[in-house]
Amino acid sequence: MFIHYAGDDVLEVAKQAYLMYFSENGLGLRAFRSLAKFESEVVEMGLGLLHGNAQARGAMTTGGTESIFLAVKAARDLAKKRDSGRGKPQILMACSAHPAFDKAAHFMGLDTVRTPLQADFRADPAAIEAAITPDTVMIVGSVPAYPHGVIDPISEIAALAQKHGIWMHVDACVGGYFAPFAKQLGETIPDWDFLVPGVTSISADLHKYGYTAKGASTLFFRDAESFAGMGWSFDNWPRGQYATNTLVGTRPGGAIAAAWAVMKYLGQSGYQRVTQRVIDTRCALQTGTTALGLTTFGDPKLSILAYGSYEHNIADIGVRMTAHGWLVGHVTTPPGLHHMLNLTHEPAIPRYLNNLSDSMSQASSSKQLGKLNAQY
Ligand SMILES: *Cc1c(COP(=O)(O)O)cnc(C)c1O
């Protein structure tokens, strides 16, 4: 949780670049030409990875929440422009989608509708279709969804969005800079990016598996019209035109420079190498937890693993793991433990599994025997 480490060398590149541009301001790209170049090259690299065509556009933001806010704003404004007779606009998504959509909805005057999952923890396209209303302005799919780490059926959901003429956002805050490399390495991951017709926008965090300094995400759009909705401009004050693509005004130049530097430093082969090690770490943990009799939620293919237990009280196991010194992440539905992995975990797996085995032998038995699938 909370950090994404890819080696001391990567950290050093990010720090050096950040410090060189510590005082520069991404609001002033006319003044800071290097930042303009960095941002446009980061966007170009991202769009290359996510199969944007010549019409595709994007920008850097300060994080996943900002990317999601701006995608929601763009979708809301476009729907309003096309049909102003609507009621309160709604965002439609599976219950596993990130709270940033609810935060954005709360701040910007939308409602959210959350639908149940399929038994394999992926979003249920049928439940989503049944919940579409004339007020639905955005449908969301996640790559992956954070709670269980599984990838939603993006092409099915995007087909629904297209059929009903609704904006489809793919939240790849976790997977945007991980899933493409996993796929290149041979993992079976269905298409989910701009290759899928109907996908309008994608959020992808650089400060997660882009391995750069905190304060960096990307937001991409299929075409210039949808991208235009991200921006905001104003001139009714004595200082003339004020226009931004982002929610924030002043932007930390260091975060933009560090993202560019780390992307150039790692390159495709660097990202592939780190991705393989993270997948191997997740597999080692998954093999170990399975051998201990724990049940993995769904079929995770990326960097997140969540599991529960039919026999033991998993909350009790969590308490015991905390006593062993681990920072424990919880899934509430169904009850489970959660891991988002990076290279700091690589050497820790054997010790973790030892502690887990001890904790299980001391833990009370489960009081909630039942299904560990998504039918809650
Ligand atoms: C982290 C995350 C976000 C929000 O990103 P922040 O950078 O924390 O604002 C959104 N969606 C998913 C799936 C995430 O994991």
Side-chain angles (χ1 to χ4, degrees):
M1 283 186 283
F2 306 126
I3 61 156
H4 292 81
Y5 173 78
D8 287 344
D9 54 334
V10 180
L11 213 52
E12 200 47 44
V13 168
K15 277 184 190 167
Q16 276 184 29
Y18 201 105
L19 284 178
M20 281 177 74
Y21 290 84
F22 187 81
S23 301
E24 298 202 1
N25 181 351
L27 176 63
L29 296 183
R30 281 188 306 139
F32 304 111
R33 308 297 303 181
S34 310
L35 294 184
K37 172 186 151 77
F38 296 154
E39 179 172 15
S40 80
E41 290 188 15
V42 165
V43 166
E44 198 180 308
M45 289 187 270
L47 281 173
L49 208 55
L50 303 179
H51 302 100
N53 65 18
Q55 276 71 52
R57 299 283 184 278
M60 287 185 69
T61 70
T62 56
T65 300
E66 188 183 5
S67 291
I68 287 168
F69 264 65
L70 292 164
V72 167
K73 179 228 174 247
R76 182 199 64 179
D77 289 357
L78 185 67
K80 199 168 175 190
K81 196 168 105 188
R82 288 189 176 164
D83 175 13
S84 56
R86 291 163 187 257
K88 194 173 180 189
Q90 294 172 345
I91 305 169
L92 175 56
M93 59 199 161
C95 62
S96 53
H98 197 274
F101 292 96
D102 296 78
K103 193 176 186 181
H106 180 73
F107 279 40
M108 290 190 282
L110 295 87
D111 283 331
T112 57
V113 177
R114 287 176 171 260
T115 56
L117 303 175
Q118 304 183 67
D120 62 6
F121 298 94
R122 298 182 310 144
D124 181 354
I128 288 176
E129 181 159 37
I132 292 174
T133 75
D135 296 327
T136 309
V137 300
M138 172 184 272
I139 302 180
V140 176
S142 303
V143 178
Y146 188 71
H148 312 107
V150 297
I151 300 173
D152 285 337
I154 299 300
S155 53
E156 284 99 315
I157 301 171
L160 293 175
Q162 207 173 24
K163 181 171 129 194
H164 294 270
I166 299 167
W167 186 297
M168 164 88 186
H169 180 78
V170 175
D171 181 12
C173 279
V174 171
Y177 295 98
F178 193 94
F181 300 110
K183 187 161 182 159
Q184 288 164 17
L185 291 164
E187 291 292 320
T188 46
I189 296 170
D191 288 339
W192 60 270
D193 58 19
F194 290 119
L195 285 178
V196 178
V199 171
T200 317
S201 56
I202 300 175
S203 48
D205 285 353
L206 290 158
H207 61 201
K208 287 178 180 153
Y209 292 98
Y211 301 113
T212 182
K214 297 290 177 282
S217 172
T218 39
L219 176 60
F220 301 112
F221 297 85
R222 178 174 289 279
D223 53 37
E225 189 196 11
S226 48
F227 172 65
M230 177 181 183
W232 186 78
S233 70
F234 179 83
D235 62 7
N236 187 22
W237 72 325
R239 183 58 170 77
Q241 181 80 8
Y242 176 93
T244 55
N245 277 332
T246 47
L247 183 61
V248 299
T250 293
R251 292 193 293 163
I256 297 170
W260 180 86
V262 169
M263 282 177 116
K264 288 284 183 192
Y265 176 73
L266 281 173
Q268 179 175 341
S269 61
Y271 278 111
Q272 283 184 355
R273 269 197 310 277
V274 182
T275 302
Q276 186 65 64
R277 286 172 61 188
V278 174
I279 291 174
D280 290 347
T281 303
R282 195 258 303 150
C283 287
L285 182 58
Q286 191 172 348
T287 303
T289 54
T290 305
L292 289 172
L294 298 160
T295 302
T296 298
F297 295 162
D299 182 15
K301 302 214 182 286
L302 303 174
S303 61
I304 291 176
L305 175 70
Y307 52 81
S309 173
Y310 283 105
E311 275 125 49
H312 297 90
N313 182 319
I314 199 80
D316 192 2
I317 294 173
V319 169
R320 288 166 199 280
M321 290 302 278
T322 303
H324 280 289
W326 299 97
L327 181 67
V328 175
H330 293 276
V331 182
T332 54
T333 331
L337 301 184
H338 181 273
H339 300 268
M340 179 154 72
L341 299 155
N342 66 75
L343 293 191
T344 55
H345 300 107
E346 194 177 46
I349 300 298
R351 186 163 57 85
Y352 180 89
L353 289 170
N354 268 334
N355 291 166
L356 188 58
S357 172
D358 290 348
S359 299
M360 287 174 68
S361 55
Q362 294 154 0
S364 57
S365 62
S366 175
K367 293 183 180 60
Q368 333 143 289
L369 268 181
K371 291 184 175 176
L372 283 178
N373 65 24
Q375 307 288 298
Y376 36 81

